[in-house]
Amino acid sequence: MEKKFNGKKQDKVVPFPHLKERLMEKGLDALTNKQFKEALTLLIQAQELEEGNHEIELGIVICLFELGELEQAKENCLVMMKEDVGDYFHVLQIYLTILIQLGQYNEVKTTIEAVLDEDSVPPEYLDNLSQLLELSKRMLYSDEVEREAENTNQDVMEHLQHVLYNEEFIGNQIAAIQSMKELNVRKYLDMLVPFLANPKKHPVVKTMILQLLAMNQVDRETEVEKLGETLKVIPSKLIDPSMSPFAIQVLSILEEQLQNENPTLYETAKEIWLQHLFVIFPFTLDDENPATYAAALHLYSAELHGMEIENRTLEQIYGISLFELKHALDMLEKVERFSYIE
């Protein structure tokens, strides 16, 4: 026969004997075995039967910490310290660990300083608190430096945007690029790379940007436009234009023809040649005849010095045709216009 319980006896809940102890024991065992969800459930049940038990409260804090519930773990620690549950300084250390995980270094600093001011820290905790205080100060300083760097980065970004895209004074653009040598150039790629492909921008400024990217080992494929031509390059793989075999060949021919006969003319031709390579970089003249460019540089330099040389003489010295000479000379004059910066 089924028994039925009526009245008050039916409503009265009598906990199992030693239920709290059993829940706490099982909860702490689960915690030891890193079964944090199960441990938290059991310890909360034990807490409902006895609040203020330091083992239960500390176990809950550890479970919350391990489960990533850092804000709740922090609040529980504060309650434990306020109500003096457990060893205050042991709970304090756990509390500070949670603050560090949260990145709340200012609270770490102010908490430790307040505790140290009371001059009641047990010797066994003093070294650790002092180390955590120094850590918090270093991190706060690092955060401040990082914020200043971010502000500087924003200022540089705005300045670059204005100078490169809104100003027409090339000297200011060159100065802006030169000022970036000590910066992390990769932060500004989205501003610099489009400049290189813009046909309205000055080729000398583009060269300086490319050299900056190459110096910083930027390996992003980049499109460059110069003098109506486009080319895709990887800056980190570019070499100094003056070190190309073609450039060296031209200088070697000029040296042979001019250095002993007229050193001044040779130096002028060399300077014009290196500047020419700088302006057209990263484009090269490898498909051209080096003797043709040597002859054109000889003629162009002589004209700058007020000297007259017959074209036929240059044809004989360098073994080239008048048509080839005129083509190279036109190219030198076209590029030379970009060599003078206002």
Side-chain angles (χ1 to χ4, degrees):
M1 178 182 292
E2 182 181 350
K3 294 183 180 180
K4 294 184 180 180
F5 296 92
N6 299 314
K8 291 182 180 180
K9 288 186 179 180
Q10 188 176 1
D11 297 329
K12 186 175 180 180
V13 177
V14 180
F16 290 106
H18 307 297
L19 177 60
K20 184 263 297 181
E21 288 79 6
R22 291 168 61 194
L23 287 169
M24 184 175 74
E25 184 181 353
K26 291 179 67 177
L28 294 177
D29 284 345
L31 177 59
T32 301
N33 293 320
K34 298 184 178 181
Q35 298 170 343
F36 301 114
K37 285 187 177 180
E38 182 183 347
L40 182 61
T41 300
L42 292 166
L43 290 172
I44 288 175
Q45 291 176 13
Q47 184 191 47
E48 291 172 354
L49 298 174
E50 182 187 359
E51 292 186 0
N53 182 295
H54 72 278
E55 289 186 276
I56 295 173
E57 301 296 342
L58 196 57
I60 289 174
V61 167
I62 294 171
C63 288
L64 290 170
F65 179 84
E66 295 292 346
L67 292 170
E69 300 290 338
L70 298 181
E71 286 291 350
Q72 188 59 57
K74 171 187 168 182
E75 292 304 316
N76 283 32
C77 274
L78 280 172
V79 171
M80 288 182 71
M81 290 189 294
K82 183 178 179 181
E83 297 181 358
D84 199 23
V85 175
D87 183 330
Y88 177 87
F89 287 96
H90 180 53
V91 177
L92 174 64
Q93 285 191 309
I94 296 173
Y95 175 68
L96 293 173
T97 301
I98 294 168
L99 291 180
I100 290 170
Q101 287 293 315
L102 288 168
Q104 297 175 359
Y105 296 105
N106 191 55
E107 194 165 342
V108 172
K109 176 176 173 291
T110 55
T111 300
I112 295 175
E113 286 176 339
V115 170
L116 293 177
D117 284 344
E118 294 178 2
D119 201 25
S120 60
V121 180
E124 63 268 26
Y125 291 104
L126 196 56
D127 283 346
N128 183 252
L129 289 177
S130 298
Q131 290 172 11
L132 290 178
L133 179 59
E134 289 305 312
L135 171 65
S136 66
K137 289 178 178 178
R138 287 199 303 271
M139 295 306 295
L140 285 170
Y141 175 74
S142 176
D143 289 345
E144 183 180 350
V145 170
E146 189 173 335
R147 283 194 299 272
E148 289 178 358
E150 288 175 1
N151 291 336
T152 300
N153 179 51
Q154 186 61 34
D155 291 342
V156 171
M157 192 80 75
E158 291 174 0
H159 176 67
L160 271 178
Q161 178 71 39
H162 175 73
V163 172
L164 293 181
Y165 291 94
N166 298 330
E167 277 197 20
E168 295 184 1
F169 187 48
I170 305 305
N172 284 349
Q173 294 183 355
I174 290 174
I177 299 304
Q178 288 176 330
S179 70
M180 298 182 67
K181 288 182 179 179
E182 303 301 323
L183 301 178
N184 182 358
V185 173
R186 296 175 188 276
K187 292 183 178 181
Y188 308 99
L189 289 180
D190 289 341
M191 183 179 300
L192 296 173
V193 169
F195 187 97
L196 295 170
N198 190 328
K200 296 181 180 180
K201 299 304 178 181
H202 200 285
V204 168
V205 183
K206 292 180 180 181
T207 294
M208 296 188 69
I209 291 174
L210 278 170
Q211 289 183 330
L212 188 65
L213 301 187
M215 184 174 68
N216 284 271
Q217 292 295 302
V218 173
D219 55 6
R220 170 175 167 179
E221 187 177 70
T222 305
E223 183 176 293
V224 183
E225 187 282 336
K226 284 193 176 182
L227 307 175
E229 302 288 335
T230 59
L231 181 68
K232 288 186 177 181
V233 299
I234 296 175
S236 62
K237 295 183 179 179
L238 294 173
I239 63 169
D240 186 330
S242 65
M243 300 303 294
S244 71
F246 183 84
I248 293 171
Q249 274 185 291
V250 171
L251 285 178
S252 178
I253 295 170
L254 281 171
E255 183 178 353
E256 182 181 345
Q257 297 297 331
L258 292 177
Q259 190 167 40
N260 292 329
E261 180 185 332
N262 192 329
T264 302
L265 197 60
Y266 168 73
E267 290 300 328
T268 300
K270 178 180 178 181
E271 183 179 342
I272 293 171
W273 178 231
L274 294 178
Q275 183 63 27
H276 181 89
L277 295 173
F278 183 83
V279 174
I280 67 171
F281 180 75
F283 292 85
T284 65
L285 300 167
D286 293 348
D287 294 334
E288 301 284 347
N289 180 0
T292 303
Y293 269 86
L297 287 162
H298 186 156
L299 177 59
Y300 193 61
S301 301
E303 289 176 349
L304 289 177
H305 284 277
M307 300 169 59
E308 292 187 4
I309 301 179
E310 291 186 6
N311 292 340
R312 186 180 299 276
T313 302
L314 290 172
E315 290 178 48
Q316 292 174 346
I317 293 173
Y318 293 97
I320 59 163
S321 68
L322 181 61
F323 174 79
E324 289 175 311
L325 178 62
K326 186 178 185 307
H327 168 73
L329 190 61
D330 287 344
M331 188 63 179
L332 285 176
E333 291 175 341
K334 179 181 179 182
V335 172
E336 186 70 7
R337 291 198 300 270
F338 293 101
S339 299
Y340 299 101
I341 306 299
E342 298 178 356

